[in-house]
Amino acid sequence: KGKLEADVPPYDLVLGGGAPVYVREIKEPAYLKDKRNFDLNSVNEPQDLNKVLLSLMSAPNIANKKWVYEQYDYQVRTNTVLLPGGDASVIRLKETKKALSVKVDCNGRYVYLNPYKGGQIAVCESARNVACTGATPLAITNCLNFGNPYNPEVYYQFSEAIRGIGDACKILETPVTGGNVSFYNQSQDYAVYPTPAIGMLGLIEDVDKVMTSYFKNEGDLILILGKEYDEGSLMNDIGGSEYLNTVHGLTEGNSPDIDAGHERNLNDLVIKLIDEKLVNSAHDISDGGLAVALAECCIMDPEKMIGCEIDLSYAGRKDFHLFAETQGTVIVSADPENLTKISETAKKYSVNIIKAGIIKGNRFKINTDIDLPLREISEKYFNSIRSIME
């Protein structure tokens, strides 16, 4: 009401300034060496990739969560712009053209295998998600879930995850506006996976340009924006994957590689393409890898499903190429007439582009390795959690 009530220098409130600093014993967990030395090539390569894809689409970490959220009011009064069908939730700011895009994200397996990289990935993936709706990432909050901090190995996970979060936020310019810490999440036998959940906030300047993740038009090209695939990177990116977890019962290897600088370039590119209406959908690759992300693009339209035909040159093992959770990668669809403009724009942002296939028909096809009717994929994706719970 026009009266100054408080005036406290930020320096006095932060660690390293006036706030107290607690120094605890830190020890790198003994399991990390064994996990990272695991020979991923020793994993059996399945012959039936159709079966693998259906198993992943029905895995609780990937399958649609509508059985849970439909039991509640999942709209924000009448302000929800994007119902499930995008990479993040979008809420309009009434009496303006603007909207907020919000996403909560974290993969505890990544943080377990590499706390520093896992913390970075949690920030970068949530930023990538809001960018895929057309929003510029602005800031984060967090909920840091760990075991007993008096355990030096748990405190190592905690401190390294925070270091990763901080480094990613500096590059993405997404300040940490607040958050909370939840310790002692463990029993006598084991602790939860270290899970620094990140809530990312993004701003959309024009709510009419909100982008969804699903394919829309027969004949549109399917493009992969991101890093070039090679056998060496895929070998690392398969570590901690849902594929290893669901199909082989393993949590091994290192977490996927992450480059926050590349992530920022990719986000800026995707936002630019959406703003200039050069693409018709945008969806990032995350849990389940490339094959799962493409399948989601085919079935997420609430009105109709639409298939695709993908033609890939494999780098290394087929299963690793299709199910590695390569970071910094987004799938977009676009009118063929826009390909030249998209390619020129991607070059300006130093982002690689792969022409992967075309939207077509009512089946999901990747080379000659995966060929499934959309109704079968949709059944697994939308009804698995209901079947498990009921």
Side-chain angles (χ1 to χ4, degrees):
K1 299 181 180 179
K3 179 183 177 183
L4 180 63
E5 300 288 354
D7 186 355
V8 182
Y11 178 85
D12 293 332
L13 301 177
V14 299
L15 297 179
V21 178
Y22 299 97
V23 179
R24 300 202 185 283
E25 182 183 356
I26 296 177
K27 179 183 178 183
E28 181 175 300
Y31 69 82
L32 287 179
K33 183 177 180 180
D34 291 337
K35 294 292 182 183
R36 294 174 187 174
N37 287 336
F38 181 83
D39 182 8
L40 292 168
N41 272 322
S42 68
V43 176
N44 292 329
E45 187 170 357
Q47 298 301 310
D48 189 347
L49 296 179
N50 285 326
K51 182 178 179 181
V52 171
L53 178 65
L54 293 175
S55 295
L56 290 172
M57 298 302 289
S58 59
N61 284 332
I62 292 176
N64 187 274
K65 313 301 188 294
K66 68 177 183 178
W67 184 88
V68 177
Y69 67 70
E70 285 186 349
Q71 298 185 43
Y72 305 91
D73 178 7
Y74 58 94
Q75 297 193 41
V76 183
R77 297 186 177 179
T78 59
N79 296 324
T80 301
V81 176
L82 183 58
L83 296 175
D87 278 25
S89 297
V90 178
I91 305 156
R92 73 170 50 85
L93 297 173
K94 286 185 175 178
E95 300 180 5
T96 77
K97 290 285 288 182
K98 298 180 180 183
L100 300 178
S101 180
V102 292
K103 182 62 184 283
V104 176
D105 219 315
C106 185
N107 187 320
R109 288 193 304 275
Y110 293 168
V111 189
Y112 174 71
L113 293 173
N114 191 316
Y116 176 71
K117 287 205 294 184
Q120 281 194 308
I121 291 172
V123 173
C124 290
E125 184 174 350
S126 59
R128 201 183 321 129
N129 289 149
V130 301
C132 282
T133 66
T136 300
L138 293 182
I140 75 161
T141 185
N142 59 61
C143 179
L144 310 177
N145 304 280
F146 291 81
N148 184 350
Y150 287 94
N151 179 330
E153 294 188 348
V154 170
Y155 201 72
Y156 174 92
Q157 294 173 333
F158 177 67
S159 60
E160 284 295 285
I162 289 176
R163 186 167 70 90
I165 290 169
D167 286 352
C169 284
K170 290 171 186 174
I171 294 172
L172 298 181
E173 295 189 21
T174 52
V176 183
T177 63
N180 72 295
V181 179
S182 176
F183 279 135
Y184 308 102
N185 296 289
Q186 68 180 87
S187 66
Q188 287 184 325
D189 299 321
Y190 64 92
V192 298
Y193 278 147
T195 310
I198 301 297
M200 179 67 69
L201 175 71
L203 178 65
I204 298 173
E205 294 289 348
D206 186 350
V207 70
D208 293 331
K209 293 182 178 180
V210 171
M211 183 55 63
T212 53
S213 60
Y214 46 79
F215 295 150
K216 299 173 180 68
N217 307 315
E218 289 243 9
D220 273 4
L221 296 178
I222 300 168
L223 308 173
I224 302 174
L225 309 176
K227 297 178 291 186
E228 292 190 58
Y229 287 83
D230 64 73
E231 186 172 0
S233 65
L234 288 173
M235 182 64 68
N236 200 40
D237 292 345
I238 201 70
S241 64
E242 190 64 36
Y243 167 68
L244 289 183
N245 179 56
T246 296
V247 177
H248 299 284
L250 297 172
T251 301
E252 302 289 347
N254 205 333
S255 61
D257 289 331
I258 184 72
D259 180 344
H262 165 78
E263 294 279 353
R264 179 164 182 170
N265 288 346
L266 176 65
N267 292 345
D268 291 344
L269 169 62
V270 171
I271 294 164
K272 179 76 169 176
L273 296 177
I274 292 172
D275 183 64
E276 295 189 357
K277 299 186 177 181
L278 293 173
V279 296
N280 297 321
S281 67
H283 183 37
D284 83 315
I285 292 177
S286 56
D287 291 357
L290 176 62
V292 166
L294 286 166
E296 290 172 338
C297 291
C298 292
I299 64 174
M300 288 297 291
D301 186 340
E303 301 297 329
K304 66 174 182 178
M305 297 183 291
I306 188 167
C308 69
E309 294 184 3
I310 303 298
D311 184 13
L312 293 174
S313 297
Y314 290 125
R317 288 176 48 162
K318 292 179 181 179
D319 57 337
F320 286 6
H321 192 117
L322 294 175
F323 305 115
E325 294 169 0
T326 303
Q327 300 299 300
T329 312
V330 169
I331 298 166
V332 298
S333 63
D335 189 305
E337 293 183 355
N338 293 333
L339 178 59
T340 300
K341 181 65 173 176
I342 292 171
S343 299
E344 292 172 351
T345 308
K347 187 175 182 179
K348 292 178 182 178
Y349 287 91
S350 301
V351 174
N352 186 58
I353 182 170
I354 298 172
K355 184 179 174 182
I358 190 170
I359 299 173
K360 181 180 179 181
N362 59 6
R363 299 184 71 86
F364 179 63
K365 299 180 181 181
I366 300 180
N367 295 3
T368 58
D369 302 302
I370 294 178
D371 186 353
L372 289 165
L374 297 183
R375 65 180 182 277
E376 188 171 359
I377 299 173
S378 179
E379 168 66 24
K380 293 291 186 182
Y381 181 76
F382 285 104
N383 296 322
S384 290
I385 289 181
R386 183 183 301 277
S387 297
I388 292 170
M389 298 304 296
E390 294 182 354

